[in-house]
Amino acid sequence: MNERQRRSDTVTAKAVARGVNIQSVRNRALAQKYMEYRRVPSGVIARVLDKPLLRRAPSNDQLVSEAITPSSPPPTQDRADE
């Protein structure tokens, strides 16, 4: 990818990367709300959430620093076996 295609606004770039991660582990509505809260332009939100093939590739730093994973459910204990 050439430099012209990279986002120079790193704050917005990180908010977009986080929003995409939220969409992948939660849902689109929550990702959109997050990006709106972070003041990502509405056109960018629509493009990255609705047209994944048009997304800019995230930098290696964004992939690491903005990674989120779903929480594991707490372990259950079966009291009948005790």
Side-chain angles (χ1 to χ4, degrees):
M1 172 168 55
N2 66 40
E3 249 343 275
R4 186 179 66 80
Q5 293 174 314
R6 289 187 175 244
R7 180 177 295 283
S8 60
D9 177 357
T10 57
V11 172
T12 301
K14 287 181 179 183
V16 168
R18 179 83 175 199
V20 169
N21 285 335
I22 290 169
Q23 181 184 31
S24 70
V25 297
R26 303 285 190 228
N27 59 55
R28 187 200 186 285
L30 191 59
Q32 180 176 341
K33 283 186 177 197
Y34 171 78
M35 286 194 274
E36 287 170 347
Y37 171 76
R38 299 299 306 220
R39 301 187 190 278
V40 174
S42 60
V44 173
I45 294 171
R47 178 174 52 83
V48 300
L49 296 181
D50 297 334
K51 299 176 183 176
L53 295 177
L54 298 179
R55 292 179 188 157
R56 293 182 175 132
S59 70
N60 288 335
D61 290 339
Q62 289 169 330
L63 290 172
V64 172
S65 68
E66 296 300 316
I68 59 172
T69 56
S71 302
S72 298
T76 59
Q77 294 181 350
D78 188 359
R79 299 263 182 216
D81 291 338
E82 292 180 9

